[in-house]
Amino acid sequence: MGESNMEGLIAIFKSWFVHTVAAFGFLYVVLKVFRRVRHKYGRRPPGPPSLPVIGQLHHLVSGLLHHTLAKIAEKYGPIMWLELGAVGVVVVSSSDMAREILKAQDHIFASRPSTLFSDLVLGKGQDLAFSPLNDHFRLVRKVYTTQLLSQQQIDTFKDIIIGGTDTSSETIVWAMTELLRHPNIMERLQSELDDVIGKERLVEEADLQKLEYLQAVVKETLRLHPGVVLGVPHFSKEATKVAGYDTPANTREMLNLYAISRDPKVWENPLKFDPSRFLNSPIDVKGQHYEVLPFGSGRRRCPGRTN
Ligand code: HEM
């Protein structure tokens, strides 16, 4: 091998060496930056592709929000991370994830976000529904449940309580709609009322225990048509982990109550209005069973829910 060939080989080796070292150096820096970013933001729940500035807002512009979110969840799973402009939102669409948020980590997720509406109209979290989780909340909640919503007070204030009028009347309208759509169910309900109450008097609260089928009709109505389809937004001040994913501090949580109670993995024939699924079933709608949560659950569950 001539001297010039040898020099050529050395030059190639040097250039290869320099490039390899540079490539490793670059990789090292990239990994360091990636690690730092990952450390800061963690492993977020999955979600649809986002755009600069608006985040994932463009996925939500058409259709009803709870329908759209249910559709997106079919692809990305029961816990999703959405950035709506500058606002980070965790969207929950299954009973297992709801149990995690409303039970296992209720102490972290039980606050409420401040919104323009709650600040301007409701006086910066002074009302119960939008109060952050603080001493004021605990006091108002106690007064609400022990004084304002005691049976005696309900009888007095029945017509002036604003919080639940829309939800309650909507539920009645949905029940009537489903009964008109299903004459056989209407007949069965009428025959229960005839047997237990008769035709001479109206139903009283004390009768409800004996009206099993009526209770099942109400539960099935609330399952298919929860009055507050996306619940009231929750807010977490602390960073935490849910199902192995990192959720950062100052995040809103949206519970798609509509999607949860129509989950085909939990409910057989979920779109069918069938009150008999609640007969002889331990599943109730009061917030202990995460398969159906029309009143939410945990610290922020609806205080207007009666027994
Ligand atoms: C069918 C009727 C109703 C439905 C479906 C319903 C549903 C709900 C839901 C889903 C929540 C949010 C729970 C959560 O954040 O986890 C809620 C909260 C609330 N509801 Fe109801 N509700 C109904 C009737 C009522 C009535 C009659 C009242 C008042 C008398 C009422 C007062 C409230 C209040 C004050 C909150 C906020 C509680 C808090 O943030 O601590 N609701 N309701």
Side-chain angles (χ1 to χ4, degrees):
M1 196 184 282
E3 202 168 306
S4 61
N5 274 356
M6 195 61 177
E7 274 169 9
L9 272 178
I10 290 171
I12 289 172
F13 178 73
K14 265 190 190 161
S15 143
W16 173 83
F17 184 75
V18 168
H19 279 97
T20 309
V21 169
F24 271 112
F26 180 69
L27 203 65
Y28 177 77
V29 173
V30 168
L31 279 177
K32 265 261 185 239
V33 171
F34 178 72
R35 254 201 211 147
R36 194 167 295 165
V37 169
R38 203 182 147 133
H39 183 70
K40 191 168 166 210
Y41 295 112
R43 186 175 163 243
R44 295 276 168 80
S50 72
L51 290 175
V53 185
I54 61 167
Q56 282 115 324
L57 214 50
H58 58 296
H59 293 282
L60 310 180
V61 285
S62 63
L64 294 170
L65 187 56
H66 55 293
H67 289 180
T68 310
L69 287 171
K71 200 96 209 112
I72 300 176
E74 279 174 19
K75 185 161 179 198
Y76 293 96
I79 178 159
M80 300 190 291
W81 171 256
L82 297 181
E83 263 160 27
L84 309 179
V87 179
V89 184
V90 170
V91 183
V92 163
S93 316
S94 80
S95 49
D96 285 345
M97 293 302 140
R99 188 181 291 108
E100 188 65 27
I101 300 279
L102 300 177
K103 187 175 183 192
Q105 303 201 48
D106 186 34
H107 55 295
I108 292 179
F109 290 108
S111 200
R112 297 276 194 225
S114 85
T115 60
L116 201 60
F117 175 75
S118 62
D119 285 359
L120 293 181
V121 182
L122 302 171
K124 281 212 167 213
Q126 290 304 300
D127 70 302
L128 175 59
F130 286 90
S131 167
L133 193 65
N134 54 20
D135 288 343
H136 171 76
F137 159 75
R138 280 178 269 276
L139 179 71
V140 179
R141 175 101 197 180
K142 200 169 168 194
V143 171
Y144 214 89
T145 43
T146 56
Q147 309 286 311
L148 213 59
L149 291 185
S150 67
Q151 196 50 53
Q152 188 192 356
Q153 296 300 331
I154 286 180
D155 291 342
T156 317
F157 292 118
K158 201 175 278 176
D159 300 325
I160 58 163
I161 293 171
I162 301 164
T165 45
D166 273 3
T167 41
S168 307
S169 55
E170 241 177 60
T171 307
I172 294 168
V173 170
W174 271 118
M176 296 311 293
T177 308
E178 291 293 4
L179 289 173
L180 289 171
R181 278 182 188 160
H182 300 90
N184 53 332
I185 295 175
M186 170 93 97
E187 249 169 55
R188 186 166 169 187
L189 182 59
Q190 272 167 342
S191 102
E192 183 185 68
L193 288 167
D194 287 346
D195 290 350
V196 178
I197 309 294
K199 292 198 190 296
E200 306 305 316
R201 67 178 181 91
L202 293 173
V203 176
E204 285 166 16
E205 191 165 345
D207 299 317
L208 293 177
Q209 286 303 323
K210 289 174 268 166
L211 295 166
E212 266 183 19
Y213 197 64
L214 174 64
Q215 286 191 36
V217 167
V218 173
K219 288 176 192 170
E220 180 66 341
T221 304
L222 285 164
R223 182 188 71 81
L224 267 184
H225 311 288
V228 194
V229 278
L230 290 170
V232 180
H234 284 229
F235 187 72
S236 54
K237 284 201 186 124
E238 279 176 50
T240 185
K241 261 189 191 300
V242 181
Y245 295 111
D246 293 290
T247 64
N250 301 321
T251 297
R252 284 158 201 245
E253 290 73 40
M254 220 186 247
L255 288 117
N256 194 342
L257 305 179
Y258 166 89
I260 289 172
S261 53
R262 287 171 176 232
D263 186 349
K265 292 194 192 86
V266 173
W267 297 97
E268 212 183 307
N269 252 334
L271 304 187
K272 188 173 174 205
F273 183 78
D274 178 12
S276 67
R277 65 173 94 234
F278 283 102
L279 293 175
N280 304 315
S281 159
I283 296 188
D284 210 329
V285 291
K286 295 176 189 166
Q288 259 81 302
H289 301 97
Y290 296 83
E291 296 86 346
V292 50
L293 291 164
F295 300 102
S297 182
R299 266 161 243 232
R300 301 309 289 241
R301 73 186 175 280
C302 175
R305 162 197 73 92
T306 52
N307 297 316

